[in-house]
Amino acid sequence: MLRTLFLQAPSFDGFDGGAGSRYQAKREIKSFWYPTWLAQPAALVENSTLIDAPPHKQSLADVLVHARKNDMAVLHTSVPSFKSDVKVAEALKAENPNLKIGMIGAKVAVDADKSLRDAPVIDFVARNEFDFTIKEVADDHDWASIKGMSYRNAEGVIVHNEDRALLHDMDSLPWVTPIYKRDLTMENYFIGYLKHPYISVYSGRGCKSHCTFCLWPQTVGGHLYRTRSVENVVEEIAWAAKAFPQTKEFFFDDDTFTDDLPRAEAIAKGLGKLGVTWSCNAKANVPRKSLEVFKANGLRLLLVGYESGNQQILYNIKKGMRIEVAERFTKDCHELGIVIHGTFIMGLPGETEETIRETIDWARKINPHTIQVSLAAPYPGTFLYKQAIENGWLDAENAELVDDNGIQIAPLHYPHLSHQRIFENVETFYKAFYFRPKKIASIVGEMITSPDMMKRRLREGVEFRDFLKDRKVAAQSAPA
């Protein structure tokens, strides 16, 4: 078996681009997701090591120490971080010329050939769902026999093996939380809307929805929701609650945890018996009866992708959501005391100055507790990317999706709406939502009742101010 290093490489300062992040960029406030997509194959490979450099503030020098201790390094990469990750790979190879370098992630999953051609230092990439592909490489199987793998053969020719079938027995995957315990410092992971410290895991993969912009289902996970058994999930949370007694909240990072409501309710009841606090991703259509079950069994927060307050834009992106259903769901959550973190996207197909205003007004009306406003990001492999190329909405110079400091740019533009106006409206959205008496009173109320929340919100306020300053710098170099 090859001694294997699983690595999220050093990157931009404060850049949340790890192997658990749905879009890779520097956030409004300090934010780091667990590197679950690296921890999972690390759990399959004996005597592996996982290094998640950005949240642990590890430098390239810190990482290079491990080059000669291993036979193989597997790096997670993304569209925004690819060039930087290749430089790290080159440094690792220079330190140990015999080190095999592999890459995983959506970028190489959908563009294996070009990735290998652009970066001769890469020996192989594992496409799509890569867990057992990596295990077979680590087990020193003949590369020609490994499904889902693209590699350079002895003559330097790039070879693409046949695809690996999606995994259906999700219980065959080992738990990731023991890898977190072994290799990570949980206090280094922050998400603004989750209690700190938190732990995130997947209870399943894939999403039956077909949102045109969404990364994982179109590149790695697929559109079939494949799930772990209720017992397997509850047992892992029970283990993790003992292994990490400081945990304030568990988050299920499935694309849509509530897609299978009977199963979600069964897991909730199991978690209720454990007495843990938990949260999850949800679509804005969960019936009140299910919400009641969740709330009675420890649910604190739902992360809800509203995206837009304009129904036509929701049709355009195949969201499968009706405004009136989302409003009723949100009202139910408010009445039941379930906190909502709502996410919105500026610059989706069909966006205009009027629809931006409509979405801002609607967000204020439904009033989730907190929000995140992102810029539409056409990742290669998604339907949105294909649309953007075909319609001329995406310029080549914006295709990396972030600027040189990791700040998200507005890559899309339309004949009636410029890059600049889309970019500027993110700040407009935030200010319109948060700078109003009702919302300020809500946040101040949180701070008054909790000294920890007081410290946290004050820190986040400084980080948000600095983020807006960085965006102004980015705006000066952004296209018109």
Side-chain angles (χ1 to χ4, degrees), residues 220-271:
V220 177
H223 289 291
L224 178 66
Y225 187 32
R226 298 158 290 126
T227 58
R228 297 161 55 188
S229 66
V230 172
E231 296 76 19
N232 184 278
V233 173
V234 174
E235 285 172 10
E236 181 174 14
I237 299 303
W239 182 90
K242 291 179 181 177
F244 299 93
Q246 67 271 51
T247 306
K248 299 284 181 62
E249 183 162 19
F250 290 93
F251 184 81
F252 293 104
D253 204 15
D254 306 33
D255 291 292
T256 313
F257 180 79
T258 55
D259 263 359
D260 185 341
L261 282 173
R263 172 180 174 274
E265 290 182 17
I267 290 174
K269 291 172 182 176
L271 299 177

Side-chain angles (χ1 to χ4, degrees), residues 5-30:
L5 169 66
F6 290 90
L7 175 64
Q8 187 66 51
S11 187
F12 309 100
D13 181 38
F15 182 77
D16 184 14
S21 176
R22 274 179 171 72
Y23 78 88
Q24 297 80 26
K26 190 171 182 178
R27 307 286 189 222
E28 300 86 343
I29 58 176
K30 183 161 62 174

Side-chain angles (χ1 to χ4, degrees), residues 285-323:
N285 62 356
V286 182
R288 187 179 180 109
K289 286 187 177 180
S290 295
L291 293 173
E292 290 170 349
V293 172
F294 298 160
K295 178 63 179 177
N297 288 282
L299 174 71
R300 186 189 71 87
L301 174 143
L302 294 176
L303 191 161
V304 180
Y306 293 108
E307 324 310 358
S308 175
N310 177 269
Q311 188 65 63
Q312 186 56 54
I313 288 179
L314 296 179
Y315 289 145
N316 293 347
I317 62 173
K318 302 180 183 179
K319 182 68 183 176
M321 186 181 88
R322 295 284 306 176
I323 293 290

Side-chain angles (χ1 to χ4, degrees), residues 254-406:
D254 306 33
D255 291 292
T256 313
F257 180 79
T258 55
D259 263 359
D260 185 341
L261 282 173
R263 172 180 174 274
E265 290 182 17
I267 290 174
K269 291 172 182 176
L271 299 177
K273 293 175 183 176
L274 298 177
V276 299
T277 298
W278 60 280
S279 301
C280 68
N281 291 310
K283 206 167 182 178
N285 62 356
V286 182
R288 187 179 180 109
K289 286 187 177 180
S290 295
L291 293 173
E292 290 170 349
V293 172
F294 298 160
K295 178 63 179 177
N297 288 282
L299 174 71
R300 186 189 71 87
L301 174 143
L302 294 176
L303 191 161
V304 180
Y306 293 108
E307 324 310 358
S308 175
N310 177 269
Q311 188 65 63
Q312 186 56 54
I313 288 179
L314 296 179
Y315 289 145
N316 293 347
I317 62 173
K318 302 180 183 179
K319 182 68 183 176
M321 186 181 88
R322 295 284 306 176
I323 293 290
E324 63 270 20
V325 173
E327 288 179 351
R328 184 172 65 247
F329 156 85
T330 307
K331 183 173 182 289
D332 288 340
C333 287
H334 288 332
E335 291 175 356
L336 293 170
I338 297 171
V339 179
I340 295 178
H341 176 73
T343 64
F344 297 86
I345 300 176
M346 295 279 95
L348 292 165
E351 194 81 276
T352 64
E353 294 281 0
E354 291 72 26
T355 62
I356 290 172
R357 186 70 247 174
E358 184 180 357
T359 296
I360 293 172
D361 290 344
W362 188 66
R364 286 161 57 102
K365 173 187 172 183
I366 63 172
N367 196 34
H369 183 56
T370 53
I371 63 168
Q372 175 181 298
V373 185
S374 305
L375 291 157
Y379 284 94
T382 64
F383 184 82
L384 179 59
Y385 180 82
K386 182 173 180 288
Q387 266 189 313
I389 294 298
E390 289 176 351
N391 290 281
W393 301 336
L394 177 64
D395 302 329
E397 62 267 25
N398 301 313
E400 291 183 12
L401 310 181
V402 299
D403 70 5
D404 291 341
N405 296 308

